Amino acid sequence: MEMDGRAIKSVLVIMVSFLLAAPAASDAAEKVTLSLDDCIRMAVKNSPNIKAAEFEAEVYRGKKAQADAARLPQVEILAVGSASPRARLKPGSSSESETNINRSSFDGVFGRADVQLIQPLYTFGKIDSYRSAGEHGVKAYEAGARLKATEVAMLVREAYYGLLLGRELKGLLSEIKESLDKATDKVRDQLEAEAPGADQVDLFKLQTYQGELDKYVAMADEGVEKAYYGLRVLTGIPEDQDFDIADEFLTPAEYGAEDFTAYRSAALSQRLEFLQLREGLIAKKALIDVEKADYYPQFFLAAFYSVAGASNRDHVNNSYIYDDFNHTNGGAVLGFKWALDFGINAGQVREARAEYMKLKMEQMYAKEGVPFQVKEASLKLTESEREMKALSGAYKNAKQWLVTSMANFDLGVGEARDIADSVSAYARLRADYFRAVYNQRMAIANVEHVTGKDADGIPYAVNKAPFEAYGDEPEKCEEKGSR
Amino acid sequence: MMMGGLRLMAAAVAAFVLVSVPVAAHAGAPTDRVRLAADKVISILKDPAMKGKAKEQERRAQIKKAVFAVFGFDEMAKRSLGQYWRQRTDAERKEFTDLYSDLLERSYINRIESYSNEKIVYGAEKVDADFAEVPSKFITKRNEEIAVNYKLMSKDGSWYVYDMVIENVSLVNNYRIQFNKIIRSSSYEELVRKMKNKRESDALAAPGADSGK
């Protein structure tokens, strides 16, 4: 008995130990709650579009690095080796050879090394212009990356507010559906009970509204799902990670709108496109100077040294005779290089000037087009705020209509169909009001975007070392880039 | 007809069932009267012994007692009938007041029972001799605000609600307009007939009612 008791106890202890030691069931990833700022932060961090723009800037960093290094000496080493033809001096001679070169006389080997060092001295501004083009090209593309970040932020806002709108509409529709279903059931009961005042028209009207409501519920469901998934894709949240947004309700924004003149002025000075164009024009101007510099010689200092030795050739000690296979010589020179042509360089200058002018025209177009964009956005903001105010008033009136129709029905002095009509008006206006609030939110975001005011508010700094995340191996780049 | 889901009409009476936010220091007897009734109804709704279908009648009876003790139905009915009250006999007035209060009670108790912890915020009451106004805001779960103002009068040392103004719609004024319209276009008897039909209709469609079929 005692043994059995001990044995049972042991088994129990072992079982408990197993239970305690067993790895906990993997916790489902905890649900994360994200504010709008969180979503924007994550989206700009994950956006492949922004990364592409960062690598464009990196291209120009590479070009600038080349231009910077062009000021420094360049060393070229050439080493060759092969079979060498026999060459023997006649005895007693320092220059006459006995060699007859034919196939059988390639019975030795030679090796040769040439070293050349060139230090540019003066290039008529070519190197400095290249450096300037690289430097301003980097700035232009960095502005491009920041611009991409603002565009990504706009998409996030659209999805975030879209989700809020969808949920508000769903909430409104569920409220109404619940009431409508109860009302329909009650009218049906009254008709069955042959209650005085019960009218089949009321039932048909309610059932018609029920059908219409089901359609709107389906639309709202689709809207919510689309916005939610859009937010997931933009922020890069994995499929198995549950998340929700921090805001519960879609409410109007408190925003002090400015007048059009202030917005236009802000746009012309703050829009990142203008920064891109300014930097781009400086870079293009520098490239014109690069091409023009080719009209002139490039002065340099060069040093060279050449050594060669062959196993089957005598060394010739004669300043007038040079043996490619067997020699030692070197020196330093001052020189210039000048390539003359009959139109090629002129064509290159023309091409560079045309590139510059093309960008200049784009700048002029932007100066005309951007104010129009700003005007459009400013008007849209005004319109959305007026619409919101009007619908707020209309929706309050619909509420009053609903209050009176319900109060009258409660005392038997009003018709059920009046309630149905007032509910329909209330629902429609309330839904329109939510849409107006969404429009106001997006109109504000758009005004901030077209005036360039949004750029500083976005939690994004250009990554000036984009390769750090990927290293130098393209396979790793693809793996890390995929979500 | 149950439109309680929209939270509008019931917001008025629902003030008595909601979790009330503590009132500012300037609250006085009128606001306290409203709040006491609210606290009483909350306790009834939250009482586990009162939950369930089996307890429905008893629960409704207790709610009716707690809530409608603060309603001055005589005054409400009188004001709603307006100029036509003077023309009524005592018996007609009693019949009308009973119909009026019965219909209101039935509608609002249904709505009170569908509430669940929405919030109400009381504003600063205004007292002018024997009359007072208690403003409040009812905040739904969807963050919608509904303004409900209670008008009270003092009688025999107690305050009684004689009107509710919901979203700027005075119930008493609204009823007066409706009743006047029916009486002018038809007759007082037609008004009473409509109200009686409604009472009968509600009774027939109530849960557990015998439809007679």
Side-chain angles (χ1 to χ4, degrees):
Chain A
M1 213 43 188
E2 223 176 29
M3 280 295 294
D4 282 350
R6 277 210 295 272
I8 289 166
K9 202 171 168 184
S10 299
V11 168
L12 283 173
V13 165
I14 291 165
M15 279 174 64
V16 167
S17 308
F18 266 115
L19 283 169
L20 290 174
S26 61
D27 295 322
E30 254 184 60
K31 186 176 186 173
V32 293
T33 303
L34 304 169
S35 65
L36 176 61
D37 284 346
D38 292 335
C39 291
I40 290 173
R41 192 176 302 113
M42 290 171 74
V44 298
K45 190 178 164 206
N46 287 305
S47 167
N49 277 358
I50 294 174
K51 288 182 170 65
E54 286 172 346
F55 276 109
E56 285 216 69
E58 187 67 10
V59 164
Y60 276 82
R61 276 191 207 95
K63 287 185 192 295
K64 183 172 179 298
Q66 289 173 58
D68 286 342
R71 294 173 298 167
L72 303 173
Q74 292 171 43
V75 177
E76 196 178 297
I77 300 173
L78 177 68
V80 298
S82 185
S84 56
R86 190 180 345 109
R88 298 288 176 209
L89 289 168
K90 281 184 180 165
S93 170
S94 64
S95 58
E96 279 186 78
S97 74
E98 294 178 351
T99 303
N100 282 325
I101 297 178
N102 56 46
R103 279 204 194 96
S104 64
S105 63
F106 278 82
D107 56 4
V109 291
F110 86 98
R112 175 175 167 170
D114 298 310
V115 179
Q116 183 176 264
L117 182 147
I118 295 180
Q119 170 63 60
L121 292 177
Y122 187 72
T123 59
F124 287 89
K126 184 168 182 169
I127 294 176
D128 284 342
S129 297
Y130 260 131
R131 291 178 67 219
S132 175
E135 182 186 328
H136 291 281
V138 168
K139 286 180 182 169
Y141 281 99
E142 283 181 347
R146 288 178 64 206
L147 184 62
K148 275 276 181 280
T150 64
E151 288 164 10
V152 166
M154 279 297 286
L155 290 174
V156 171
R157 287 192 187 95
E158 213 175 295
Y160 192 93
Y161 291 133
L163 182 57
L164 278 173
L165 173 64
R167 285 178 173 175
E168 289 281 19
L169 292 176
K170 264 190 85 166
L172 174 67
L173 290 169
S174 317
E175 244 180 52
I176 293 166
K177 185 167 169 51
E178 187 192 323
S179 305
L180 217 45
D181 289 347
K182 279 183 184 165
T184 308
D185 289 342
K186 187 152 188 186
V187 170
R188 202 177 282 118
D189 291 342
Q190 285 176 340
L191 283 167
E192 278 174 18
E194 294 177 11
D199 192 334
Q200 245 189 347
V201 170
D202 294 338
L203 181 65
F204 296 148
K205 197 157 194 174
L206 288 167
Q207 285 173 331
T208 306
Y209 281 134
Q210 271 180 322
E212 205 179 339
L213 197 67
D214 286 340
K215 173 187 122 183
Y216 288 118
V217 167
M219 283 168 67
D221 281 339
E222 188 214 333
V224 165
E225 187 145 346
K226 201 160 80 170
Y228 185 79
Y229 192 74
L231 213 48
R232 183 186 286 282
V233 167
L234 285 166
T235 53
I237 296 173
E239 294 281 347
D240 60 352
Q241 169 67 61
D242 195 12
F243 79 98
D244 203 354
I245 55 176
D247 288 293
E248 210 181 334
F249 304 114
L250 181 62
T251 52
E254 297 286 332
Y255 184 73
E258 297 173 52
D259 64 25
F260 168 67
T261 315
Y263 282 144
R264 182 176 57 188
S265 171
L268 291 173
S269 62
Q270 291 175 25
R271 280 278 287 258
L272 287 168
E273 289 91 331
F274 287 120
L275 174 60
Q276 269 189 307
L277 286 163
R278 274 197 301 275
E279 295 295 333
L281 281 168
I282 297 172
K284 294 285 185 191
K285 178 76 175 53
L287 288 173
I288 295 174
D289 293 339
V290 164
E291 299 301 338
K292 281 182 177 174
D294 279 342
Y295 283 137
Y296 306 101
Q298 294 172 49
F299 290 90
F300 60 87
L301 179 69
F304 63 92
Y305 181 75
S306 181
V307 59
S311 60
N312 58 351
R313 296 172 74 88
D314 289 332
H315 183 76
V316 176
N317 199 9
N318 188 328
S319 299
Y320 293 99
I321 296 171
Y322 178 76
D323 185 356
D324 279 331
F325 300 99
N326 205 350
H327 64 261
T328 305
N329 59 60
V333 296
L334 193 63
F336 69 83
K337 181 182 162 188
W338 197 0
L340 296 168
D341 59 65
F342 298 97
I344 296 174
N345 201 35
Q348 286 165 338
V349 169
R350 189 172 168 174
E351 182 186 336
R353 288 180 72 206
E355 289 285 347
Y356 174 85
M357 287 309 292
K358 194 171 88 177
L359 202 60
K360 190 80 183 164
M361 293 301 113
E362 282 176 22
Q363 187 188 48
M364 284 173 64
Y365 174 68
K367 280 183 176 164
E368 286 169 16
V370 161
F372 177 76
Q373 244 187 357
V374 170
K375 185 71 174 176
E376 208 176 31
S378 170
L379 286 173
K380 197 81 188 157
L381 176 60
T382 307
E383 182 202 331
S384 71
E385 292 192 327
R386 281 170 66 182
E387 188 189 26
M388 209 169 62
K389 196 172 168 188
L391 283 167
S392 175
Y395 148 67
K396 282 187 168 76
N397 291 334
K399 270 202 277 190
Q400 289 173 331
W401 181 10
L402 185 55
V403 167
T404 51
S405 61
M406 286 173 73
N408 293 340
F409 184 80
D410 282 341
L411 259 60
V413 295
E415 304 291 331
R417 66 201 70 169
D418 290 339
I419 298 181
D421 288 342
S422 62
V423 166
S424 170
Y426 164 85
R428 221 175 27 252
L429 288 164
R430 184 88 174 132
D432 285 346
Y433 172 75
F434 283 134
R435 277 190 213 97
V437 173
Y438 170 84
N439 289 341
Q440 187 236 17
R441 287 275 183 179
M442 289 310 300
I444 290 169
N446 196 36
V447 155
E448 297 273 295
H449 183 59
V450 300
T451 54
K453 286 169 184 257
D454 60 344
D456 288 338
I458 290 169
Y460 168 71
V462 176
N463 182 1
K464 300 196 181 192
F467 274 116
E468 265 177 20
Y470 299 100
D472 294 324
E473 295 168 2
E475 311 85 68
K476 281 187 188 170
C477 178
E478 281 164 22
E479 281 164 20
K480 283 185 182 181
S482 64
R483 292 188 191 174
Chain B
M1 189 180 205
M2 293 290 291
M3 295 303 253
L6 288 165
R7 314 283 188 249
L8 275 178
M9 273 301 287
V13 184
F16 298 118
V17 297
L18 303 176
V19 176
S20 302
V21 169
V23 180
H26 46 256
T31 309
D32 288 341
R33 184 99 158 109
V34 169
R35 285 195 69 227
L36 272 169
D39 291 343
K40 178 72 188 154
V41 174
I42 290 169
S43 69
I44 295 167
L45 286 172
K46 285 185 171 176
D47 184 358
M50 280 287 137
K51 289 195 187 291
K53 204 87 178 134
K55 287 288 181 180
E56 189 178 314
Q57 274 201 312
E58 189 185 341
R59 188 172 63 241
R60 284 179 167 224
Q62 287 199 18
I63 290 171
K64 180 176 165 175
K65 192 174 163 192
V67 172
F68 295 102
V70 300
F71 273 79
F73 284 117
D74 290 352
E75 187 65 25
M76 282 181 83
K78 178 182 166 188
R79 284 171 181 259
S80 296
L81 209 46
Q83 59 178 308
Y84 297 103
W85 178 265
R86 284 193 293 276
Q87 299 164 13
R88 304 275 73 78
T89 64
D90 286 346
E92 282 175 333
R93 286 176 185 177
K94 183 168 183 333
E95 181 191 41
F96 182 80
T97 304
D98 286 346
L99 259 177
Y100 187 90
S101 60
D102 201 26
L103 284 166
L104 281 180
E105 282 172 17
R106 199 185 289 272
S107 295
Y108 294 139
I109 286 178
N110 283 340
R111 287 171 192 147
I112 284 171
E113 290 223 285
S114 69
Y115 272 87
S116 53
N117 293 330
E118 282 92 339
K119 208 165 80 161
I120 188 163
V121 178
Y122 292 98
E125 69 180 27
K126 287 181 226 164
V127 180
D128 183 6
D130 289 337
F131 293 91
E133 203 170 308
V134 176
S136 68
K137 246 186 239 180
F138 177 73
I139 301 164
T140 72
K141 279 186 271 197
R142 299 294 316 158
N143 203 37
E144 195 185 337
E145 283 184 6
I146 300 166
V148 179
N149 289 359
Y150 299 90
K151 289 187 171 177
L152 299 98
M153 65 186 289
S154 175
K155 189 178 170 185
D156 302 329
S158 285
W159 290 95
Y160 296 94
V161 174
Y162 70 85
D163 193 9
M164 288 178 290
V165 181
I166 307 168
E167 289 289 322
N168 286 328
V169 175
S170 157
L171 289 191
V172 161
N173 283 351
N174 172 64
Y175 285 137
R176 187 163 56 240
I177 293 166
Q178 285 299 115
F179 295 163
N180 283 355
K181 202 161 80 175
I182 294 169
I183 293 170
R184 271 202 296 272
S185 64
S186 189
S187 64
Y188 170 77
E189 286 70 27
E190 175 62 13
L191 170 64
V192 170
R193 188 193 68 76
K194 280 178 184 283
M195 290 171 76
K196 280 181 176 171
N197 281 349
K198 182 66 168 64
R199 185 168 63 179
E200 192 186 328
S201 207
D202 284 351
L204 283 169
D210 180 5
S211 66
K213 287 207 165 172

